[in-house]
Structures are given as structure tokens and as C-alpha cells.
């Protein structure tokens, strides 16, 4: 279960950094609010792993919207590595979703426990690594955007992006 705790920690750090990035992008390039994101629900009798998966899917959608806003403000696409990292994150999330659905099909009448998640440990480890990569890619995208709009910059950017925390 240590991997689950690390994954939760990485997700919380990513959420914080995304919110900071949104503030910086809004300050430099204000735009109208984006439409609300589709609701993703946790399955009945959800475990921590299910909640991590749903929270990661929600965060993925928010990061996609932010990256899109950055690209529109620059009038060009970001480096291909940024898109590749976001795509790898989505693939990892889909694999985890598929494995979790398989577990629900194998045991349809009983609630899954966190003990059932031990078979997902390699995927949770990969998800943690992907989340860390997304944090770096998001930082890079924001810095590129801020550099493009440097004439609007009135103060240096203060972020926690440099401290990577748990890897």
C-alpha cells in the first residue's frame, strides 16, 4: 500500500502545481472560463485505488485543457515531448481502468478491497512515474508560455515546481 500513498501524494502535488500554473497563465493571458468538465464517478463500493483513478482522470482532463489554453495563447503547439508525456499518462490511466474493470467482472458480487489492488502495484508505480513526468511537462509548458509573454511579466514566477518531492 506504500505505492498507493506515493501515488496519492504525487496527485496532490500535481493538483497544486496545476492550480498555480492556471493562475500564472490567467495572469499573463486572461481568457474566458472554460466549459465544465464531464463528471467521472467512482464505482459502487470504491476503494482508494478507484478514487485515485477517478481523481487522476479528472486531473488529466484539467491538464489537457490547460495545455490547450497555453498552445492557443502561443498560437503554436508546444514541444512534442509535452504531448507524448500527456499521452503516456492517458495510456497508463486507461490500462489501470481496464485492469480494475476486469477485477470488478471477476468478483461482481463482492466489494473489492485495497488488498485486490496488490495486483495493480506495477501499474500504480507506473502511474506515479507518469504523474511526475506530467508535473515536469506542465512546468516546461508554463515556463515556455511565460517566456513568450515576458513583456507582460511584472514579477518573477514563484513556484514549487523545482522541488520534485517523491519520485
Amino acid at each position: 500500500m506504500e505505492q498507493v500513498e506515493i501515488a496519492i501524494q504525487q496527485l496532490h502535488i500535481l493538483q497544486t502545481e496545476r492550480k498555480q500554473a492556471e493562475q500564472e497563465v490567467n495572469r499573463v493571458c486572461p481568457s474566458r472560463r472554460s466549459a465544465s468538465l464531464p463528471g467521472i464517478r467512482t464505482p459502487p463500493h470504491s476503494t482508494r485505488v478507484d478514487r485515485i483513478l477517478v481523481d487522476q482522470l479528472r486531473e488529466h482532463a484539467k491538464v489537457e485543457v490547460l495545455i490547450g489554453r497555453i498552445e492557443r495563447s502561443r498560437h503554436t503547439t508546444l514541444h512534442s515531448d509535452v504531448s507524448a508525456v500527456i499521452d503516456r499518462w492517458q495510456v497508463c490511466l486507461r490500462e489501470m481502468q481496464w485492469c480494475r474493470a476486469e477485477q470488478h467482472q471477476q468478483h461482481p458480487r463482492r466489494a473489492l478491497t485495497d488488498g485486490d489492488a496488490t495486483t495493480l502495484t506495477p501499474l500504480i508505480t507506473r502511474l506515479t512515474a507518469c504523474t511526475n513526468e506530467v508535473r515536469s511537462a506542465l512546468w516546461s509548458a508554463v515556463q515556455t508560455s511565460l517566456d513568450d509573454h515576458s513583456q507582460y511579466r511584472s514579477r518573477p514566477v514563484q513556484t514549487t515546481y523545482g522541488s520534485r518531492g517523491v519520485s
Side-chain angles (χ1 to χ4, degrees):
M1 285 298 105
E2 180 180 325
Q3 289 300 323
V4 172
E5 296 298 328
I6 294 170
I8 291 169
Q9 182 182 19
Q10 285 294 312
L11 175 62
H12 288 304
I13 293 169
L14 173 62
Q15 289 170 335
T16 301
E17 291 177 357
R18 181 203 29 91
K19 289 174 187 174
Q20 288 175 348
E22 284 175 342
Q23 289 175 350
E24 288 297 323
V25 170
N26 285 337
R27 188 178 56 77
V28 171
C29 185
S31 68
R32 60 187 159 91
R33 287 280 180 206
S34 59
S36 63
L37 299 169
I40 303 169
R41 296 184 181 192
T42 54
H45 310 292
S46 62
T47 64
R48 289 188 315 166
V49 173
D50 294 323
R51 287 188 293 276
I52 289 171
L53 183 56
V54 168
D55 289 345
Q56 285 272 357
L57 288 167
R58 287 179 185 144
E59 195 63 25
H60 180 271
K62 291 175 184 177
V63 169
E64 285 271 358
V65 168
L66 180 59
I67 295 294
R69 280 192 57 212
I70 290 170
E71 287 179 338
R72 282 189 303 281
S73 75
R74 297 182 70 225
H75 304 292
T76 184
T77 59
L78 292 167
H79 194 276
S80 60
D81 287 350
V82 173
S83 295
V85 166
I86 301 292
D87 290 344
R88 279 196 304 269
W89 187 28
Q90 185 175 25
V91 166
C92 185
L93 287 169
R94 295 297 176 210
E95 286 177 11
M96 215 170 136
Q97 232 179 350
W98 181 81
C99 287
R100 204 63 178 153
E102 286 288 313
Q103 287 180 341
H104 279 284
Q105 286 178 354
Q106 290 173 2
H107 308 289
R109 298 203 192 285
R110 75 171 176 93
L112 295 176
T113 64
D114 281 335
D116 295 322
T118 57
T119 58
L120 296 174
T121 300
L123 283 175
I124 294 171
T125 302
R126 252 184 69 212
L127 181 62
T128 302
C130 285
T131 305
N132 204 18
E133 288 177 11
V134 168
R135 290 174 55 211
S136 296
L138 183 60
W139 177 85
S140 173
V142 170
Q143 294 306 310
T144 302
S145 174
L146 294 177
D147 288 346
D148 289 349
H149 296 92
S150 60
Q151 68 269 22
Y152 302 113
R153 216 162 152 185
S154 61
R155 61 181 170 81
V157 179
Q158 295 181 358
T159 63
T160 59
Y161 300 137
S163 60
R164 285 288 147 221
V166 179
S167 56

